[in-house]
Amino acid sequence: MNKKEMVYVVSDSVGETAELMVRAVASQFNGGYVEIQHISFVEDIKDLENIIALSKYSHSIIAYTIVIPSLKKYLDERAREEGIIAIDLMNPLMEAFAEKFKKDPKREPRLMRKLDDNYFRRVEAIEFAVKYDDGQDVRGFKRADIVLIGVSRTSKTPLSMYLAHKRFKVANVPLVPEVAPPAELFELPRNKCVGLVITPDKLNEIRKERLKHLGLMPVANYADLDRILEELDYAEKIMKRIGCPIINVSNKAVEETADIILAMLKKRGV
């Protein structure tokens, strides 16, 4: 039976990328002959000396992703002195980037983990927006960064999704005269709720297009101007009762309205 060769995968961060790369290379030489020892979060010279000693004893390769210059330099020098093969998996590409973009790298460990955290926060916010869309579950109000209220077709859902991609948790509630708004809405801090209003003519135009898209007659009550006036009047009374800020979305793109809301969130320190 062939003896397995050891490869030490060393990183000043998690080192997942380095391990995947080593496994990919090992597969080209029948990966069963290679044993990978993963050493993460290397922080000082003492850690490196232990790795050097282990590698020298087992005649192993060191594959590393270390961005802290002093640690990288030390590892390179000590590996050379001890006759150990030490391969830098990150620096050649980082130097190519630096040359291409005419910019020095940050050389900070764990930045990828920070990017991952941002990604998962975004996913969580999107899932939140879907779950608490259209007043489906009032329990989300307390956890939300913002709660949008308004009549149908005031861009509540598109706004919720746009803000979710900015990693904010957004719930939204439609205001309909025949349906009493949830009591929890009136328990929220005023600046946590945002009312969306629109001119009657613009809403009438949007709703007619919506009906046409659905293959329905434009004379439906949904697009009736008197009905629209009734809805808008009702919604405005609710918003005034709550005392929340109100944004007129009539001639605004979703991005413009979102920018106003983002400024509010920033002011709140969210």
Side-chain angles (χ1 to χ4, degrees):
M1 185 175 178
N2 292 319
K3 174 181 175 293
K4 284 190 176 183
E5 297 294 340
M6 177 74 76
V7 177
Y8 286 97
V9 175
V10 181
S11 178
D12 49 15
S13 184
V14 178
E16 292 167 334
T17 305
E19 182 170 349
L20 285 172
M21 190 177 295
V22 170
R23 290 192 184 281
V25 172
S27 70
Q28 299 296 317
F29 297 87
N30 186 344
Y33 293 124
V34 176
E35 182 177 342
I36 296 173
Q37 182 70 42
H38 192 158
I39 304 172
S40 304
F41 303 113
V42 170
E43 295 181 341
D44 53 38
I45 287 172
K46 183 180 177 182
D47 292 334
L48 292 179
E49 277 298 335
N50 291 335
I51 295 162
I52 290 288
L54 289 169
S55 184
K56 185 176 180 180
Y57 175 77
S58 57
H59 305 287
S60 305
I61 293 173
I62 297 174
Y64 70 88
T65 53
I66 293 178
V67 297
I68 300 172
S70 59
L71 293 182
K72 170 185 161 44
K73 182 181 178 183
Y74 186 87
L75 178 54
D76 285 341
E77 290 177 352
R78 288 290 292 119
R80 193 161 46 246
E81 288 171 4
E82 299 294 344
I84 297 167
I85 299 173
I87 308 299
D88 186 339
L89 300 177
M90 185 177 286
N91 205 56
L93 184 57
M94 195 144 56
E95 287 179 350
F97 270 53
E99 183 178 347
K100 176 66 178 177
F101 301 131
K102 309 298 182 207
K103 187 176 180 181
D104 292 330
K106 294 180 179 179
R107 297 196 178 278
E108 295 176 25
R110 307 176 199 178
L111 287 182
M112 190 65 188
R113 180 58 56 181
K114 291 178 184 177
L115 291 175
D116 286 347
D117 289 344
N118 284 334
Y119 169 77
F120 287 118
R121 280 178 59 198
R122 183 180 294 111
V123 170
E124 184 182 4
I126 292 169
E127 289 176 346
F128 186 95
V130 171
K131 183 175 182 179
Y132 298 108
D133 181 47
D134 214 27
Q136 293 182 69
D137 190 343
V138 298
R139 291 175 298 179
F141 289 2
K142 289 184 179 180
R143 291 175 51 216
D145 295 311
I146 207 84
V147 177
L148 304 175
I149 60 173
V151 301
S152 173
R153 313 313 293 177
T154 49
S155 300
K156 295 185 301 298
T157 297
L159 263 173
S160 296
M161 296 307 297
Y162 184 91
L163 291 167
H165 278 86
K166 300 288 185 181
R167 301 184 300 281
F168 292 102
K169 293 178 180 177
V170 185
N172 73 76
V173 182
L175 298 178
V176 185
E178 292 76 17
V179 181
E184 290 84 354
L185 204 56
F186 301 97
E187 297 169 4
L188 294 172
R190 291 180 180 182
N191 61 0
K192 194 174 185 177
C193 187
V194 173
L196 304 176
V197 297
I198 190 169
T199 61
D201 290 344
K202 184 67 176 176
L203 185 56
N204 181 245
E205 177 188 328
I206 292 170
R207 287 189 175 182
K208 281 182 177 179
E209 283 299 316
R210 177 63 176 164
L211 289 173
K212 190 186 297 183
H213 178 73
L214 295 173
L216 301 173
M217 295 296 291
V219 293
N221 188 45
Y222 182 68
D224 180 74
L225 192 57
D226 288 338
R227 168 64 181 183
I228 285 173
L229 289 168
E230 180 189 354
E231 286 186 41
L232 291 173
D233 182 59
Y234 171 78
E236 191 173 344
K237 287 177 181 176
I238 296 296
M239 293 171 194
K240 286 180 178 178
R241 182 178 161 192
I242 294 171
C244 63
I246 298 172
I247 303 173
N248 190 319
V249 301
S250 302
N251 298 304
K252 289 184 177 65
V254 168
E255 294 85 354
E256 293 178 88
T257 308
D259 283 343
I260 296 171
I261 294 171
L262 289 170
M264 293 178 184
L265 290 168
K266 187 177 181 181
K267 194 173 181 180
R268 275 173 46 196
V270 176

mmCIF file of all heavy atoms in Angstrom, residues 163-192:
data_model
loop_
_atom_site.group_PDB
_atom_site.id
_atom_site.type_symbol
_atom_site.label_atom_id
_atom_site.label_comp_id
_atom_site.label_asym_id
_atom_site.label_seq_id
_atom_site.Cartn_x
_atom_site.Cartn_y
_atom_site.Cartn_z
ATOM 1 N N LEU A 163 -34.642 47.093 -0.844
ATOM 2 C CA LEU A 163 -33.988 47.364 0.441
ATOM 3 C C LEU A 163 -33.401 46.087 1.045
ATOM 4 O O LEU A 163 -32.379 46.131 1.730
ATOM 5 C CB LEU A 163 -34.982 48.004 1.412
ATOM 6 C CG LEU A 163 -35.416 49.430 1.040
ATOM 7 C CD1 LEU A 163 -36.632 49.851 1.860
ATOM 8 C CD2 LEU A 163 -34.270 50.420 1.236
ATOM 9 N N ALA A 164 -34.043 44.952 0.767
ATOM 10 C CA ALA A 164 -33.515 43.673 1.243
ATOM 11 C C ALA A 164 -32.154 43.391 0.618
ATOM 12 O O ALA A 164 -31.261 42.854 1.274
ATOM 13 C CB ALA A 164 -34.486 42.541 0.920
ATOM 14 N N HIS A 165 -31.983 43.752 -0.652
ATOM 15 C CA HIS A 165 -30.684 43.572 -1.303
ATOM 16 C C HIS A 165 -29.628 44.495 -0.705
ATOM 17 O O HIS A 165 -28.436 44.278 -0.896
ATOM 18 C CB HIS A 165 -30.808 43.800 -2.811
ATOM 19 C CG HIS A 165 -31.308 42.588 -3.550
ATOM 20 N ND1 HIS A 165 -32.653 42.305 -3.699
ATOM 21 C CD2 HIS A 165 -30.638 41.567 -4.143
ATOM 22 C CE1 HIS A 165 -32.781 41.172 -4.363
ATOM 23 N NE2 HIS A 165 -31.586 40.707 -4.641
ATOM 24 N N LYS A 166 -30.085 45.512 0.016
ATOM 25 C CA LYS A 166 -29.169 46.387 0.760
ATOM 26 C C LYS A 166 -29.005 45.885 2.200
ATOM 27 O O LYS A 166 -28.435 46.562 3.040
ATOM 28 C CB LYS A 166 -29.716 47.816 0.793
ATOM 29 C CG LYS A 166 -29.901 48.461 -0.569
ATOM 30 C CD LYS A 166 -28.590 48.813 -1.211
ATOM 31 C CE LYS A 166 -28.799 49.562 -2.529
ATOM 32 N NZ LYS A 166 -27.512 49.892 -3.187
ATOM 33 N N ARG A 167 -29.559 44.689 2.481
ATOM 34 C CA ARG A 167 -29.424 43.984 3.762
ATOM 35 C C ARG A 167 -30.310 44.569 4.876
ATOM 36 O O ARG A 167 -30.007 44.434 6.048
ATOM 37 C CB ARG A 167 -27.959 43.924 4.208
ATOM 38 C CG ARG A 167 -27.045 43.236 3.220
ATOM 39 C CD ARG A 167 -25.632 43.126 3.740
ATOM 40 N NE ARG A 167 -25.029 44.397 4.028
ATOM 41 C CZ ARG A 167 -24.511 45.214 3.120
ATOM 42 N NH1 ARG A 167 -24.529 44.891 1.851
ATOM 43 N NH2 ARG A 167 -23.966 46.354 3.475
ATOM 44 N N PHE A 168 -31.414 45.209 4.493
ATOM 45 C CA PHE A 168 -32.365 45.703 5.495
ATOM 46 C C PHE A 168 -33.607 44.813 5.501
ATOM 47 O O PHE A 168 -34.087 44.385 4.452
ATOM 48 C CB PHE A 168 -32.763 47.154 5.195
ATOM 49 C CG PHE A 168 -31.634 48.130 5.393
ATOM 50 C CD1 PHE A 168 -30.934 48.628 4.308
ATOM 51 C CD2 PHE A 168 -31.257 48.519 6.667
ATOM 52 C CE1 PHE A 168 -29.878 49.515 4.485
ATOM 53 C CE2 PHE A 168 -30.206 49.412 6.863
ATOM 54 C CZ PHE A 168 -29.517 49.905 5.763
ATOM 55 N N LYS A 169 -34.110 44.539 6.697
ATOM 56 C CA LYS A 169 -35.300 43.710 6.835
ATOM 57 C C LYS A 169 -36.545 44.603 6.744
ATOM 58 O O LYS A 169 -36.706 45.518 7.554
ATOM 59 C CB LYS A 169 -35.265 42.980 8.178
ATOM 60 C CG LYS A 169 -34.148 41.945 8.261
ATOM 61 C CD LYS A 169 -34.123 41.274 9.622
ATOM 62 C CE LYS A 169 -33.004 40.235 9.683
ATOM 63 N NZ LYS A 169 -32.896 39.608 11.011
ATOM 64 N N VAL A 170 -37.370 44.300 5.760
ATOM 65 C CA VAL A 170 -38.532 45.143 5.491
ATOM 66 C C VAL A 170 -39.805 44.306 5.450
ATOM 67 O O VAL A 170 -39.863 43.268 4.782
ATOM 68 C CB VAL A 170 -38.377 45.892 4.149
ATOM 69 C CG1 VAL A 170 -39.535 46.863 3.942
ATOM 70 C CG2 VAL A 170 -37.043 46.638 4.100
ATOM 71 N N ALA A 171 -40.826 44.772 6.169
ATOM 72 C CA ALA A 171 -42.161 44.192 6.086
ATOM 73 C C ALA A 171 -43.059 45.229 5.422
ATOM 74 O O ALA A 171 -42.755 46.427 5.448
ATOM 75 C CB ALA A 171 -42.675 43.854 7.476
ATOM 76 N N ASN A 172 -44.133 44.784 4.792
ATOM 77 C CA ASN A 172 -45.056 45.766 4.225
ATOM 78 C C ASN A 172 -46.498 45.333 4.435
ATOM 79 O O ASN A 172 -46.803 44.141 4.522
ATOM 80 C CB ASN A 172 -44.743 46.034 2.747
ATOM 81 C CG ASN A 172 -45.144 44.901 1.839
ATOM 82 O OD1 ASN A 172 -46.327 44.723 1.535
ATOM 83 N ND2 ASN A 172 -44.174 44.119 1.387
ATOM 84 N N VAL A 173 -47.382 46.336 4.536
ATOM 85 C CA VAL A 173 -48.793 46.085 4.853
ATOM 86 C C VAL A 173 -49.682 46.889 3.904
ATOM 87 O O VAL A 173 -49.534 48.109 3.798
ATOM 88 C CB VAL A 173 -49.118 46.501 6.311
ATOM 89 C CG1 VAL A 173 -50.568 46.188 6.648
ATOM 90 C CG2 VAL A 173 -48.186 45.813 7.287
ATOM 91 N N PRO A 174 -50.610 46.222 3.203
ATOM 92 C CA PRO A 174 -51.555 46.962 2.359
ATOM 93 C C PRO A 174 -52.648 47.598 3.210
ATOM 94 O O PRO A 174 -53.093 47.007 4.197
ATOM 95 C CB PRO A 174 -52.128 45.860 1.455
ATOM 96 C CG PRO A 174 -52.023 44.612 2.256
ATOM 97 C CD PRO A 174 -50.810 44.767 3.149
ATOM 98 N N LEU A 175 -53.057 48.788 2.818
ATOM 99 C CA LEU A 175 -54.147 49.467 3.532
ATOM 100 C C LEU A 175 -55.399 49.422 2.663
ATOM 101 O O LEU A 175 -55.420 49.942 1.554
ATOM 102 C CB LEU A 175 -53.754 50.912 3.848
ATOM 103 C CG LEU A 175 -52.530 51.086 4.770
ATOM 104 C CD1 LEU A 175 -52.219 52.560 4.965
ATOM 105 C CD2 LEU A 175 -52.749 50.393 6.110
ATOM 106 N N VAL A 176 -56.431 48.765 3.188
ATOM 107 C CA VAL A 176 -57.698 48.584 2.467
ATOM 108 C C VAL A 176 -58.831 49.012 3.389
ATOM 109 O O VAL A 176 -58.893 48.572 4.541
ATOM 110 C CB VAL A 176 -57.883 47.095 2.064
ATOM 111 C CG1 VAL A 176 -59.140 46.933 1.213
ATOM 112 C CG2 VAL A 176 -56.662 46.577 1.326
ATOM 113 N N PRO A 177 -59.735 49.878 2.922
ATOM 114 C CA PRO A 177 -60.804 50.383 3.797
ATOM 115 C C PRO A 177 -61.606 49.304 4.508
ATOM 116 O O PRO A 177 -62.027 49.489 5.652
ATOM 117 C CB PRO A 177 -61.695 51.173 2.821
ATOM 118 C CG PRO A 177 -60.761 51.622 1.750
ATOM 119 C CD PRO A 177 -59.776 50.502 1.589
ATOM 120 N N GLU A 178 -61.815 48.164 3.836
ATOM 121 C CA GLU A 178 -62.644 47.107 4.427
ATOM 122 C C GLU A 178 -61.910 46.244 5.450
ATOM 123 O O GLU A 178 -62.524 45.402 6.114
ATOM 124 C CB GLU A 178 -63.199 46.183 3.323
ATOM 125 C CG GLU A 178 -64.209 46.828 2.403
ATOM 126 C CD GLU A 178 -63.585 47.760 1.364
ATOM 127 O OE1 GLU A 178 -62.359 47.662 1.134
ATOM 128 O OE2 GLU A 178 -64.314 48.590 0.808
ATOM 129 N N VAL A 179 -60.601 46.433 5.537
ATOM 130 C CA VAL A 179 -59.804 45.595 6.440
ATOM 131 C C VAL A 179 -59.084 46.486 7.457
ATOM 132 O O VAL A 179 -58.275 47.334 7.085
ATOM 133 C CB VAL A 179 -58.764 44.757 5.668
ATOM 134 C CG1 VAL A 179 -57.967 43.887 6.631
ATOM 135 C CG2 VAL A 179 -59.441 43.903 4.597
ATOM 136 N N ALA A 180 -59.381 46.299 8.730
ATOM 137 C CA ALA A 180 -58.725 47.100 9.775
ATOM 138 C C ALA A 180 -57.232 46.780 9.808
ATOM 139 O O ALA A 180 -56.846 45.604 9.738
ATOM 140 C CB ALA A 180 -59.346 46.791 11.128
ATOM 141 N N PRO A 181 -56.375 47.796 9.878
ATOM 142 C CA PRO A 181 -54.940 47.521 9.948
ATOM 143 C C PRO A 181 -54.598 46.810 11.249
ATOM 144 O O PRO A 181 -55.293 46.993 12.259
ATOM 145 C CB PRO A 181 -54.313 48.918 9.905
ATOM 146 C CG PRO A 181 -55.379 49.838 10.362
ATOM 147 C CD PRO A 181 -56.674 49.225 9.943
ATOM 148 N N PRO A 182 -53.556 45.995 11.256
ATOM 149 C CA PRO A 182 -53.202 45.273 12.488
ATOM 150 C C PRO A 182 -52.862 46.234 13.618
ATOM 151 O O PRO A 182 -52.214 47.260 13.405
ATOM 152 C CB PRO A 182 -51.976 44.447 12.065
ATOM 153 C CG PRO A 182 -51.479 45.063 10.804
ATOM 154 C CD PRO A 182 -52.641 45.689 10.134
ATOM 155 N N ALA A 183 -53.298 45.881 14.809
ATOM 156 C CA ALA A 183 -53.063 46.738 15.981
ATOM 157 C C ALA A 183 -51.579 46.953 16.217
ATOM 158 O O ALA A 183 -51.153 48.015 16.708
ATOM 159 C CB ALA A 183 -53.706 46.097 17.212
ATOM 160 N N GLU A 184 -50.756 45.951 15.850
ATOM 161 C CA GLU A 184 -49.293 46.040 16.056
ATOM 162 C C GLU A 184 -48.679 47.219 15.309
ATOM 163 O O GLU A 184 -47.635 47.734 15.685
ATOM 164 C CB GLU A 184 -48.626 44.740 15.602
ATOM 165 C CG GLU A 184 -48.913 43.537 16.483
ATOM 166 C CD GLU A 184 -50.215 42.858 16.155
ATOM 167 O OE1 GLU A 184 -50.982 43.385 15.307
ATOM 168 O OE2 GLU A 184 -50.476 41.784 16.728
ATOM 169 N N LEU A 185 -49.355 47.645 14.246
ATOM 170 C CA LEU A 185 -48.851 48.762 13.443
ATOM 171 C C LEU A 185 -48.780 50.045 14.266
ATOM 172 O O LEU A 185 -47.866 50.861 14.103
ATOM 173 C CB LEU A 185 -49.770 48.953 12.238
ATOM 174 C CG LEU A 185 -49.212 49.644 10.987
ATOM 175 C CD1 LEU A 185 -47.972 48.933 10.480
ATOM 176 C CD2 LEU A 185 -50.285 49.683 9.912
ATOM 177 N N PHE A 186 -49.728 50.208 15.170
ATOM 178 C CA PHE A 186 -49.803 51.435 15.969
ATOM 179 C C PHE A 186 -48.903 51.389 17.202
ATOM 180 O O PHE A 186 -48.783 52.371 17.925
ATOM 181 C CB PHE A 186 -51.261 51.681 16.384
ATOM 182 C CG PHE A 186 -52.196 51.812 15.219
ATOM 183 C CD1 PHE A 186 -52.939 50.728 14.787
ATOM 184 C CD2 PHE A 186 -52.304 53.009 14.529
ATOM 185 C CE1 PHE A 186 -53.795 50.828 13.699
ATOM 186 C CE2 PHE A 186 -53.156 53.134 13.439
ATOM 187 C CZ PHE A 186 -53.892 52.034 13.021
ATOM 188 N N GLU A 187 -48.281 50.242 17.402
ATOM 189 C CA GLU A 187 -47.357 50.095 18.530
ATOM 190 C C GLU A 187 -45.909 50.351 18.117
ATOM 191 O O GLU A 187 -45.023 50.407 18.963
ATOM 192 C CB GLU A 187 -47.482 48.680 19.112
ATOM 193 C CG GLU A 187 -48.866 48.387 19.684
ATOM 194 C CD GLU A 187 -49.056 46.919 20.021
ATOM 195 O OE1 GLU A 187 -48.068 46.151 19.882
ATOM 196 O OE2 GLU A 187 -50.176 46.534 20.426
ATOM 197 N N LEU A 188 -45.680 50.489 16.816
ATOM 198 C CA LEU A 188 -44.314 50.701 16.318
ATOM 199 C C LEU A 188 -43.853 52.128 16.582
ATOM 200 O O LEU A 188 -44.670 53.063 16.593
ATOM 201 C CB LEU A 188 -44.261 50.449 14.810
ATOM 202 C CG LEU A 188 -44.505 49.020 14.316
ATOM 203 C CD1 LEU A 188 -44.598 49.003 12.783
ATOM 204 C CD2 LEU A 188 -43.384 48.102 14.784
ATOM 205 N N PRO A 189 -42.540 52.336 16.771
ATOM 206 C CA PRO A 189 -42.023 53.715 16.806
ATOM 207 C C PRO A 189 -42.362 54.411 15.488
ATOM 208 O O PRO A 189 -42.326 53.778 14.421
ATOM 209 C CB PRO A 189 -40.504 53.507 16.941
ATOM 210 C CG PRO A 189 -40.337 52.125 17.475
ATOM 211 C CD PRO A 189 -41.479 51.329 16.950
ATOM 212 N N ARG A 190 -42.700 55.665 15.536
ATOM 213 C CA ARG A 190 -43.153 56.386 14.347
ATOM 214 C C ARG A 190 -42.162 56.305 13.186
ATOM 215 O O ARG A 190 -42.551 56.149 12.030
ATOM 216 C CB ARG A 190 -43.404 57.854 14.682
ATOM 217 C CG ARG A 190 -44.603 58.074 15.585
ATOM 218 C CD ARG A 190 -44.807 59.544 15.876
ATOM 219 N NE ARG A 190 -45.963 59.769 16.741
ATOM 220 C CZ ARG A 190 -46.379 60.963 17.111
ATOM 221 N NH1 ARG A 190 -45.728 62.053 16.711
ATOM 222 N NH2 ARG A 190 -47.451 61.091 17.883
ATOM 223 N N ASN A 191 -40.866 56.413 13.514
ATOM 224 C CA ASN A 191 -39.879 56.445 12.439
ATOM 225 C C ASN A 191 -39.538 55.059 11.887
ATOM 226 O O ASN A 191 -38.703 54.922 11.008
ATOM 227 C CB ASN A 191 -38.600 57.157 12.872
ATOM 228 C CG ASN A 191 -37.915 56.470 14.048
ATOM 229 O OD1 ASN A 191 -38.395 55.461 14.550
ATOM 230 N ND2 ASN A 191 -36.795 57.029 14.484
ATOM 231 N N LYS A 192 -40.191 54.032 12.422
ATOM 232 C CA LYS A 192 -39.958 52.679 11.905
ATOM 233 C C LYS A 192 -40.950 52.338 10.797
ATOM 234 O O LYS A 192 -40.809 51.352 10.096
ATOM 235 C CB LYS A 192 -40.075 51.655 13.035
ATOM 236 C CG LYS A 192 -39.533 50.284 12.681
ATOM 237 C CD LYS A 192 -39.537 49.357 13.887
ATOM 238 C CE LYS A 192 -38.893 48.024 13.557
ATOM 239 N NZ LYS A 192 -38.805 47.122 14.718
#
